Amino acid sequence: MDIMLHIGAHRCATGYFQGFLAHHAARLRQDGLAIWGPEQTRDGLFHGVQPGPVPVTGRDLATRARGRLRLRIATEAAAGAQRLLISDTDLMGGAHDLLQQRQLYAGIGVRLARFDAAFDGQVRDVMLNLRSPDRFWTSLLTQMVANGHPLPSAAVLGQIAAHPRSWRDVITDIACAMPNARIRVMPYETYGDRPEVQLALLAGPRLARVSLSDRLNRSDGLPTLRHRLAANVARDLPRGEGRWSPFSDIQSAALRERYADDLMWLQGGADGLAELMRDPDKHAVGSNPPPYDLTRGTSDDDRNRRLAGSG
């Protein structure tokens, strides 16, 4: 069976995409596509794939996890599924790990190598959503603060902004961990509110968008955030409306510049490691200029590499 992994990343409208898949699960199953979301994957299905504190029983938990997955996949195949799409951001690691590491998914290579072994190398595609790091970290920090974590210190923000690890490094680690899988990259800025397009690019069918799950896990604005937090914490937030921006202008600019470099690398082919998915609803603009009637310039402008009329 072909297995497709949608691994996130966090804060990239993955909840919206998962809600879309859950809404259309019956329709997709008719087309031979089974869906596993967090409801299935976080119910002990992956227990033993990753190491962790467990009772000493003498059992090989990794082998048991592999057997458990084989049985579940065989059950899906017996029910008529030819393909399986698994969507869970925790495949990459937990959100709290990101804040502890203060960098983008430091352990993703080892984690996904273990998942690749657990699935017996059957993973065909890996779908990755990425987002400009300044927005990614801001959204993640906003969620963590809203859930009771303290405001990040200036030192923490500085460490996050200065760390050189970028999405390019994350993609390279994924490619090393799953060498037989195709990595499909879909930036949040293009596909965040278009789950129907993401599914069509990954699996084929383009189904109607679901509006009910629109705003799932959306970050709180400053007024809501101040209202939810304790008074001694809320007073440290800036005044005004809109979104909270914890980074300085210089830090935000550095994070955006790193993202621009990553996108340029992806546009250039990503060294053959990944594919930046083109928006099917947009048509590439031709390289030839429109046939305007230019009335200025000299006959050797093209040889001088100057535009006619540039003086």
Side-chain angles (χ1 to χ4, degrees), residues 223-237:
T224 305
L225 201 57
R226 280 193 295 265
H227 179 73
R228 293 181 60 174
L229 300 180
N232 62 329
V233 178
R235 68 188 179 197
D236 292 328
L237 290 172

Side-chain angles (χ1 to χ4, degrees), residues 93-163:
H96 61 281
D97 296 330
L98 287 163
L99 295 180
Q100 290 178 347
Q101 298 160 355
R102 295 166 192 175
Q103 58 177 294
L104 293 172
Y105 300 102
I108 189 172
V110 175
R111 288 185 62 85
L112 289 189
R114 292 192 175 107
F115 277 114
D116 193 52
F119 285 112
D120 294 323
Q122 294 183 70
V123 176
R124 187 197 76 186
D125 289 293
V126 176
M127 172 181 158
L128 173 67
N129 300 120
L130 43 79
R131 186 177 188 179
S132 181
D134 62 317
R135 298 290 186 182
F136 170 83
W137 284 107
T138 294
S139 181
L140 183 66
L141 289 167
T142 300
Q143 182 192 42
M144 301 301 279
V145 168
N147 289 338
H149 289 257
L151 292 174
S153 65
V156 169
L157 294 173
Q159 290 169 359
I160 291 173
H163 202 285

Side-chain angles (χ1 to χ4, degrees), residues 191 194 196-197 201 206 209 278-283:
Y191 298 102
R194 302 162 71 201
E196 75 286 358
V197 178
L201 289 172
R206 183 160 179 170
R209 186 183 304 188
R278 310 293 179 181
D279 188 345
D281 295 337
K282 292 185 179 179
H283 301 286

Side-chain angles (χ1 to χ4, degrees), residues 130 183-187 191 263 266-267 274-278:
L130 43 79
I183 303 173
R184 310 291 188 88
V185 180
M186 302 187 194
Y191 298 102
L263 292 179
L266 285 164
Q267 288 278 3
E275 179 183 1
L276 179 64
M277 303 305 292
R278 310 293 179 181

